[in-house]
Amino acid sequence: MEKLIEIKNLTVVYDAKPAIKNINLNVWKNDFLGIIGPNGGGKTTLLKAILGLQKPLSGTITFLNNGKSASSPKIGYLPQITPLDKRFPISVREVIASGLAGEKPRYRNFTLTQKAQIRELTHQMGLEPLAGRAIGELSGGQIQRVLLSRAIISKPQILILDEPNTYVDKKFESHLYELLGTINRETAIILVSHDVGALLPLVKNIACVNETLHYHQGSDISGDWLNEVCTYPVELVGHGDLPHRTLKKHDSRK
């Protein structure tokens, strides 16, 4: 497997206290890494360090291309909470298109291919009826869909999602998981979620971050592993049309 990100002995400190410490982690090409952990355990801090938004106290984050150190790859990012001035006069279509702004010549219009790409994704995300509306008129769930569209339209090499279903309505949530499965055919995904039950059917590998990091190759985890490394209450059951998986059998006498 081709390695995209190599993290070694990473420690990040807030107010003289470690938010995460001595973390080691690899992210692979076409990986789908699920990250779980308690609130305040350091999940978002880890994502920000990968994105270069948080400077580590020690340790290294190396991006690789064909086994050699490389500059930062194209990364799409959807934060858990996005500050948004709803008075800003910009339409849904324009927000989505802004994800391609770095790929068109300055002061020129988008190409016909790019315009078709914007239309296709707008339709795929169920945003076609809202395309011309101002972003400030949308609900929280609709805004989250728009911002996810902006994050994925450039077809990034790595997509980082911090609790992407926080504001997404339940009707769209199952479609979101299907969409991520399609995206993962060409893009590595790192997804933070508190909902382990919904996460397990999607991911290929899983990590629990609670200041330190415990990595599990594959998603076939047991209740024993969760109890041992997570040490906090976790949600295991998906509901309705959401995907779900039963944990593998474990011996409670151990």
Side-chain angles (χ1 to χ4, degrees):
M1 290 189 294
E2 182 181 341
K3 195 184 299 182
L4 296 181
I5 304 175
E6 183 179 70
I7 300 174
K8 290 185 176 181
N9 303 317
L10 185 71
T11 295
V12 177
V13 171
Y14 282 136
D15 297 326
K17 295 182 180 179
I20 52 176
K21 63 181 183 181
N22 296 326
I23 281 183
N24 293 279
L25 177 67
N26 294 323
V27 179
W28 308 91
K29 186 176 181 179
N30 299 124
D31 199 352
F32 197 142
L33 174 66
I35 298 180
I36 60 174
N39 291 334
K43 303 186 301 296
T44 297
T45 298
L46 175 59
L47 299 188
K48 287 183 176 180
I50 293 172
L51 290 161
L53 301 175
Q54 183 66 50
K55 186 177 180 180
L57 175 69
S58 60
T60 60
I61 300 174
T62 304
F63 298 103
L64 299 134
N65 185 13
N66 293 322
K68 297 180 180 179
S69 180
S71 59
S72 178
K74 185 189 294 185
I75 297 178
Y77 175 48
L78 180 66
Q80 181 177 2
I81 300 174
T82 305
L84 185 68
D85 185 352
K86 290 194 171 186
R87 297 170 298 177
F88 191 73
I90 187 170
S91 71
V92 167
R93 185 183 295 107
E94 289 169 329
V95 172
I96 296 172
S98 69
L100 289 173
E103 299 184 9
K104 73 179 183 71
R106 200 173 183 183
Y107 305 122
R108 294 190 182 181
N109 292 327
F110 290 105
T111 65
L112 292 177
T113 300
Q114 289 172 326
K115 289 178 180 178
Q117 192 177 345
I118 293 165
R119 287 195 301 270
E120 181 181 354
L121 184 58
T122 302
H123 172 75
Q124 190 176 22
M125 297 294 283
L127 293 166
E128 207 166 31
L130 307 173
R133 288 177 60 178
I135 192 75
E137 299 176 11
L138 273 56
S139 69
Q142 290 168 336
I143 290 172
Q144 197 76 340
R145 272 192 268 166
V146 174
L147 297 178
L148 175 59
S149 301
R150 182 182 66 177
I152 65 178
I153 193 166
S154 65
K155 298 182 179 178
Q157 189 176 5
I158 301 169
L159 177 62
I160 296 179
L161 307 170
D162 194 354
E163 299 281 6
N165 58 346
T166 300
Y167 302 107
V168 173
D169 55 90
K170 292 298 179 183
K171 183 178 180 180
F172 183 76
E173 192 170 358
S174 58
H175 177 62
L176 169 64
Y177 292 135
E178 293 174 6
L179 178 63
L180 292 179
T182 301
I183 293 169
N184 186 227
R185 294 171 189 167
E186 298 181 352
T187 302
I189 297 176
I190 302 173
L191 190 155
V192 166
S193 179
H194 68 280
D195 188 348
V196 181
L199 192 67
L200 289 179
L202 300 172
V203 301
K204 297 173 181 175
N205 301 295
I206 194 161
C208 181
V209 176
N210 190 4
E211 192 173 304
T212 57
L213 182 145
H214 296 270
Y215 181 83
H216 188 285
Q217 186 174 355
S219 61
D220 190 19
I221 64 173
S222 70
D224 284 339
W225 186 84
L226 283 173
N227 292 332
E228 179 182 351
V229 307
C230 292
T231 63
Y232 75 101
V234 293
E235 182 180 345
L236 291 175
V237 182
H239 302 280
D241 295 328
L242 297 182
H244 63 279
R245 173 180 291 166
T246 303
L247 294 180
K248 68 179 181 180
K249 188 175 180 181
H250 63 282
D251 189 349
S252 60
R253 296 171 297 177
K254 291 183 180 179

